[in-house]
Amino acid sequence: RTVAKNIYFRLTELSQGSKAPDFLLKSDAKDLTLQSFGKKYLYLFFIDPTSLDNTKQLNLLKPIYERYKEIAHFVMVYKEKPDGSIDLSKLKNEYPWTVVSSKESNSIFKNYNVVSYPYYVLIDPFGYVIQAPALGPMPNGVYETIDRTFFMIQKALKDGNGADR
């Protein structure tokens, strides 16, 4: 039983190069799935909008979004609070990317191994994980951010080294 459990975990583990798990997110306009993002990269991030640190990171993400919105979809997901303390319409007006609230029971949180916030995942146009967890807009220990990753992707696409997306 333990061996089977470990094999299942390895086969479904979210790691670089693995197929990203499909998901279903309810948005105002339509239902969002992994396939609904077409031929662009997907930068999927999970946040806690009540956290000051998360809000700072989202503000740092705005200029990155403006630079790379042509090559990537940015989708922000947060867990709905039972008391309704988070105003979805305010968040949608404050941030230029897609903002989606989801119930805590949604399988996306388990399938994408979301245990802390913020948590970022970068998925390629074919549905494969590039980074999980992905870099965020704040520098990590070696001063890298997601900006550099998007810059390299954009450069590869412009140089013709990437597939036509």
Side-chain angles (χ1 to χ4, degrees):
R1 177 178 264 184
T2 303
V3 172
K5 188 176 175 182
N6 289 339
I7 289 172
Y8 178 77
F9 174 75
R10 287 291 176 204
L11 290 174
T12 59
E13 182 179 31
L14 191 65
S15 60
Q16 185 175 354
S18 66
K19 186 76 172 151
D22 201 7
F23 54 82
L24 176 63
L25 295 169
K26 303 279 186 184
S27 177
D28 291 341
K30 60 183 176 178
D31 291 345
L32 301 175
T33 64
L34 185 60
Q35 291 77 26
S36 63
F37 293 100
K39 300 288 186 206
K40 284 185 174 181
Y41 288 82
L42 174 60
Y43 190 53
L44 185 63
F45 48 103
F46 302 87
I47 60 106
D48 177 3
T50 60
S51 165
L52 187 59
D53 180 54
N54 284 207
T55 305
K56 287 179 186 176
Q57 291 202 31
L58 292 175
N59 290 331
L60 291 173
L61 196 55
K62 286 178 183 179
I64 295 171
Y65 168 81
E66 290 302 323
R67 279 193 296 278
Y68 303 110
K69 64 184 177 184
E70 300 301 320
I71 63 166
H73 291 284
F74 287 62
V75 178
M76 180 174 92
V77 180
Y78 70 91
K79 287 183 185 177
E80 292 176 357
K81 300 282 186 192
D83 60 4
S85 60
I86 302 169
D87 185 7
L88 179 61
S89 61
K90 181 180 179 253
L91 287 174
K92 286 185 177 185
N93 291 334
E94 191 171 344
Y95 301 111
W97 47 74
T98 304
V99 178
V100 180
S101 67
S102 184
K103 295 187 185 304
E104 192 169 340
S105 60
N106 191 324
S107 64
I108 192 169
F109 298 106
K110 181 179 179 233
N111 293 343
Y112 281 82
N113 302 328
V114 180
V115 292
S116 64
Y117 299 96
Y119 183 78
Y120 304 92
V121 179
L122 182 60
I123 301 170
D124 76 6
F126 304 104
Y128 289 92
V129 176
I130 295 176
Q131 293 178 347
L135 295 170
M138 289 186 75
N140 64 5
V142 289
Y143 301 104
E144 293 178 324
T145 67
I146 193 64
D147 194 318
R148 182 174 188 271
T149 304
F150 281 132
F151 176 79
M152 298 306 288
I153 291 170
Q154 187 178 52
K155 184 177 182 210
L157 291 173
K158 283 183 180 177
D159 291 345
N161 294 336
D164 185 22
R165 293 175 174 91

